[in-house]
Amino acid sequence: MKTLVIAEKPDMGRNIAAVIEPKAKNARTYIEGEHYIITWAIGHLIGLAEPDAYDDKYKRWNINDLPIIPEHFKLKPNPKTKDQLKVIAELAKRSDKLINACDAGREGQHIFSLIQQHLKMRQPVQRLWISDLTPETIKKGFEQLKDGSEYENLSKAAKARSEADWLIGMNGSRAFTTKHNVLLSVGRVQTPVLALIYDRQKEIDAFDSAKFYDVEAFFKQGDSEYKGLWQGERIQDEAKAKAVAAKVQGKEGRIQSYDIKDTKEYPFKLYDLTLLQREANAKYGFSAKKTLDLAQALYEKHKVISYPRTTSNYVTEQNIPQMYKSLDQFRSTDYAKFAEQADKKYVHKNNKSVCNPSKVEDHHAILPTNKMARSLAPDEAKVYDLIVRRFLSHFFPPAEYKVHTIMTEVEKEEFKTTIKQLLSEGWKFIYADQKKDAKKSRSKKEKDDDDDAQTDEEVTTPFQLNANEGVTCINSEAKEKETQPPKPYTEGTLLKAMESAGKQIEDEELRDAMKDSGLGTPATRAAIIERLKQVGYLVMKGKRIVITQKGKMAVEVIRGAGVDLLTSPEMTGQWERRLNQIAKGSASDEAFMENVKKFATMIISKVKVQRRVAKESFEDQPGEEAKPVRSRKTAAAKSKSGEKAGGTKTAAAKRTTPKAASSGDMTASAAVQVQAPPEKRVAAVTGIAPCPTPGCQGTLIMGKRGYGCSHYKTGCTFVIWRDQYGVSLEPEDIASLAVHGKTSRMLQLDDGGQIKEGHLMLVDSVTGQLGMDS
């Protein structure tokens, strides 16, 4: 009997076979040698069965059949790869041992576990856990095989993730689809991600642009010239700004304070997958999926980088000798000019910005291997270049600066200047041949959005002032500026938000701490974004992600049903944290699944009593497309009266600052016949109901805190706040108020501290003022 090795993909299997059975016979679907038979999955060979596998009635989508909660989940082979599954089954009969050589991560563990479970393979299992596919690493991995039981908790976490996604995706998608007669894809992870984009767009739409003026002055002392920014409360009056500029023009001034500080900038962190995807998107416009595919090819096909689906930006002490070998290899490549000046003394076990074992769990940061890169496709070469330069930068000293901070006073007006004088470029030598340092260009964009940013110049020539000598203001000017709305998400910035559970966390240590509670995993985030595009919730406008009308309404009907938790990145992030705890053996998978089942049941109960929204509400209107953010001019010219009622914005301006979630979503097939029960619609219009304001042709739409008119941009001020008289109004209440003038259902109303039953009445159809019936 021989040992059966099951890899995740054919290339991986062939790489392993070349090391452990170099003289083996290649039988196309497997490779057989003297001691080992090496075969492979082709991704997921097994999946969870569809609902109709439990009962034929589930072939028709009917809300009254929900929730679907199997007592035991059934498995179903992927029909496209069933022949390979048969091959594995036959080979297992000739083997007395198994080696799980699938990807060293949660999904790789799940792929093997499902095959083992479905084929009822009882042989003892060992686990190959490696981070790259070089012959040295494979050989060492087989010398250090682990017992399969050591990964039992990881298998439990993977199984819980898969079944939780099935429960939320199947039940949620069927419930909302049948209720609203529109195919709506709902998922444990994809829905919170969609909500992130929705909330960002709402904040952009609700933004009021405001003009303000900066006063810049240019000073001279001897041969030194510098620019200062006026210090004081923001000036919104053009005349005042010009008056300040005129006041200091040509006048003598003094240096109020002059501080010089030496500072160092260290190389950016090594790449994990999400950081690599973000930077490839920023620099090359690559989608998250494209970057993942390119990195996977570099790992699997070319074997020039380590395992890419990693969450770590660090290495362990054991990785450092291999890093030295890779550095030596680069001395005979196109990177020779960098490698020759690199110094190994900067990469050592005590350098915590590189070597930090406490921050390496399954896999270390993405590193180049010591295999020469040949015949790379152009886009593969771009991603490889990012990885190599980041790697090489850590073998250089920090960049050194002398930072000059100057406060200049002229005619009792103060101006601040910050100048960074480069003393030694250090690691930035690696990027000197490129037009822009990627990080530097990002910093500049961030400063463009920061209205309070100070003048911050970087110079390479010596700069010096005498603090005891005067200066002359040789020029000054008032510059008109305007506040800017938040930027729409790109795939890069969305990945960052998903990683940190939606919160814009700048502190690196805190962001690292959030990594185990992000939306999805590095391996699945790209697929989640692609899924949202496929179901028609998102479109791309250049690099920008734009939510469609269908995407907007999907979020609104989910929140309108009272299941806001389904759109909560914070809650879903905690789910992912719990899955990580299950993988570490510190949490129960059974308790987690019980909570998921309760949540799925709650979703159905809420959706069943929700009023159906008109189908047209999910469609973009003729002549309209999903639009990205307004231009600056449009933002500045937007009518304030169209967004306000009583001085309050109709659309909630505050963005939720979410947290995050899990891996891939199991959702319904798009090719389904929807069986929706007949239900009377309040009004067949786009939105919840027609706006009751006399003469207005708009419709009521739902925001975060209330319901307003779709024509708010052209002047309609109608708005009804969601929370009134101690109750929270649902879309069906708003529809009834708009059409009939009062809520159709009896409500528990709070009248000055006394609770009573009654209806809310529409008192004023212009302002949306409500009252209680007597």
Side-chain angles (χ1 to χ4, degrees), residues 5-280:
V5 180
I6 302 177
E8 187 164 322
K9 294 178 182 176
D11 278 350
M12 187 182 298
R14 285 189 280 268
N15 288 330
I16 291 171
V19 174
I20 64 172
E21 289 283 8
K23 298 181 181 179
K25 176 185 175 184
N26 190 334
R28 194 175 65 81
T29 55
Y30 65 94
I31 299 171
E32 185 166 1
E34 185 178 353
H35 303 289
Y36 295 99
I37 305 172
I38 301 95
T39 189
W40 41 81
I42 307 171
H44 281 271
L45 297 182
I46 309 287
L48 296 179
E50 296 287 314
D52 57 47
Y54 301 92
D55 194 316
D56 280 344
K57 71 180 181 181
Y58 294 136
K59 290 180 179 179
R60 293 168 58 89
W61 286 29
N62 190 323
I63 197 168
N64 295 317
D65 292 332
L66 303 177
I68 306 170
I69 301 180
E71 186 174 345
H72 299 289
F73 282 85
K74 296 182 179 181
L75 301 180
K76 179 183 178 182
N78 183 338
K80 295 180 181 178
T81 54
K82 62 182 181 181
D83 289 343
Q84 185 63 18
L85 186 63
K86 290 179 181 177
V87 169
I88 295 175
E90 290 302 315
L91 295 175
K93 294 175 183 178
R94 300 198 283 120
S95 307
D96 59 353
K97 291 181 183 179
L98 302 175
I99 293 178
N100 175 5
C102 293
D103 276 357
R106 189 168 73 187
E107 286 311 297
Q109 189 70 19
H110 192 46
I111 287 171
F112 178 87
S113 296
L114 290 178
I115 294 171
Q116 184 185 24
Q117 180 183 344
H118 183 74
L119 297 180
K120 297 180 173 59
M121 298 190 296
R122 307 300 182 197
Q123 299 94 326
V125 178
Q126 290 182 297
R127 184 61 157 111
L128 176 69
W129 193 273
I130 56 177
S131 288
D132 64 62
L133 292 172
T134 58
E136 297 88 346
T137 301
I138 294 171
K139 184 175 183 294
K140 187 175 181 181
F142 270 84
E143 292 170 353
Q144 300 175 347
L145 290 170
K146 304 284 184 68
D147 190 276
S149 62
E150 293 185 31
Y151 298 88
E152 183 178 349
N153 289 327
L154 186 63
S155 297
K156 288 181 180 179
K159 180 173 181 285
R161 192 280 308 161
S162 177
E163 293 177 358
D165 286 346
W166 192 98
L167 287 170
I168 302 304
M170 286 296 179
N171 285 291
S173 297
R174 287 183 176 225
F176 283 103
T177 294
T178 52
K179 170 58 71 171
H180 300 291
N181 202 23
V182 174
L183 186 65
L184 296 176
S185 178
V186 173
R188 184 178 66 89
V189 184
Q190 71 173 42
T191 301
V193 174
L194 181 64
L196 277 181
I197 300 163
Y198 173 90
D199 290 334
R200 172 65 61 88
Q201 188 60 48
K202 294 293 285 186
E203 186 177 7
I204 292 168
D205 291 342
F207 184 84
D208 276 327
S209 182
K211 287 184 181 180
F212 67 97
Y213 297 85
D214 277 345
V215 179
E216 294 180 349
F218 297 83
F219 303 105
K220 184 175 177 64
Q221 184 191 82
D223 294 331
S224 297
E225 294 185 8
Y226 63 96
K227 179 175 68 174
L229 186 66
W230 181 79
Q231 301 298 289
E233 291 187 5
R234 176 176 288 174
I235 301 175
Q236 295 179 314
D237 183 346
E238 183 179 12
K240 181 180 177 181
K242 288 184 175 180
V244 173
K247 180 181 179 182
V248 299
Q249 176 78 41
K251 300 295 177 61
E252 297 300 313
R254 70 183 185 90
I255 296 176
Q256 192 179 67
S257 66
Y258 182 21
D259 180 61
I260 303 175
K261 183 187 295 184
D262 289 328
T263 186
K264 295 179 180 180
E265 287 188 12
Y266 291 87
F268 307 131
K269 291 189 298 185
L270 293 167
Y271 285 121
D272 61 10
L273 176 59
T274 301
L275 184 57
L276 178 64
Q277 289 170 315
R278 283 169 47 195
E279 298 207 358

Side-chain angles (χ1 to χ4, degrees), residues 189 295 339 387 471 502 520 539 560 570 592 594 612 617 662 668 700 729 771:
V189 184
I387 295 167
V471 298
V539 293
E570 289 96 335
F592 172 79
E594 282 304 311
R612 177 180 296 171
S617 302
S662 120
L700 299 185
L729 298 176

Side-chain angles (χ1 to χ4, degrees), residues 493-740:
T493 58
L494 181 59
L495 285 167
K496 179 181 178 181
M498 292 170 73
E499 180 182 52
S500 58
K503 294 189 180 298
Q504 299 307 304
I505 299 172
E506 297 304 323
D507 182 84
E508 285 192 0
E509 289 188 13
L510 183 56
R511 197 162 61 238
D512 284 345
M514 292 288 292
K515 275 191 174 183
D516 65 348
S517 60
L519 279 168
T521 66
T524 61
R525 286 175 188 139
I528 291 164
I529 295 172
E530 291 302 311
R531 173 67 184 170
L532 291 171
K533 296 176 190 175
Q534 291 164 6
V535 297
Y537 290 160
L538 304 178
V539 293
M540 300 301 297
K541 298 288 184 181
K543 282 188 180 182
R544 293 178 294 187
I545 297 173
V546 180
I547 189 168
T548 64
Q549 178 64 17
K550 183 180 181 182
K552 292 176 185 176
M553 287 304 300
V555 174
E556 291 181 4
V557 298
I558 291 168
R559 286 178 171 165
V563 285
D564 293 45
L565 284 176
L566 188 54
T567 66
S568 167
E570 289 96 335
M571 185 210 72
T572 315
Q574 293 309 313
W575 285 21
E576 185 63 28
R577 183 190 294 266
R578 186 55 53 87
L579 287 168
N580 284 332
Q581 291 171 344
I582 293 168
K584 295 172 185 176
S586 59
S588 165
D589 58 319
E590 293 178 354
F592 172 79
M593 288 306 300
E594 282 304 311
N595 286 329
V596 173
K597 291 173 184 177
K598 289 176 183 177
F599 186 55
T601 302
M602 185 269 283
I603 291 172
I604 303 307
S605 66
K606 294 279 190 179
V607 177
K608 281 182 176 179
V609 298
Q610 184 181 29
R611 187 178 294 275
R612 177 180 296 171
V613 175
K615 188 174 182 179
E616 294 87 342
S617 302
F618 297 87
E619 300 171 356
D620 288 312
Q621 295 305 295
E624 288 188 9
E625 296 179 355
K627 296 187 285 292
V629 156
R630 309 172 305 282
S631 67
R632 294 188 178 189
K633 290 182 180 179
T634 308
K638 187 171 65 176
S639 167
K640 293 183 180 179
S641 64
E643 283 200 348
K644 296 186 177 181
T648 308
K649 294 174 185 174
T650 59
K654 288 187 179 179
R655 179 182 13 154
T656 56
T657 50
K659 228 176 203 175
S662 120
S663 88
D665 284 359
M666 200 74 176
T667 51
S669 167
V672 67
Q673 281 298 109
V674 178
Q675 303 296 327
E679 188 172 337
K680 185 178 178 181
R681 299 180 185 179
V682 172
V685 293
T686 301
I688 297 169
C691 177
T693 303
C696 180
Q697 301 299 310
T699 57
L700 299 185
I701 56 177
M702 180 169 62
K704 269 181 65 180
R705 292 187 296 158
Y707 305 84
C709 180
S710 61
H711 284 189
Y712 69 91
K713 292 185 179 181
T714 55
C716 182
T717 60
F718 185 89
V719 61
I720 297 177
W721 301 117
R722 178 176 296 172
D723 295 323
Q724 301 260 9
Y725 293 96
V727 299
S728 182
L729 298 176
E730 302 295 341
E732 57 265 32
D733 298 318
I734 302 304
S736 184
L737 281 164
V739 177
H740 304 297

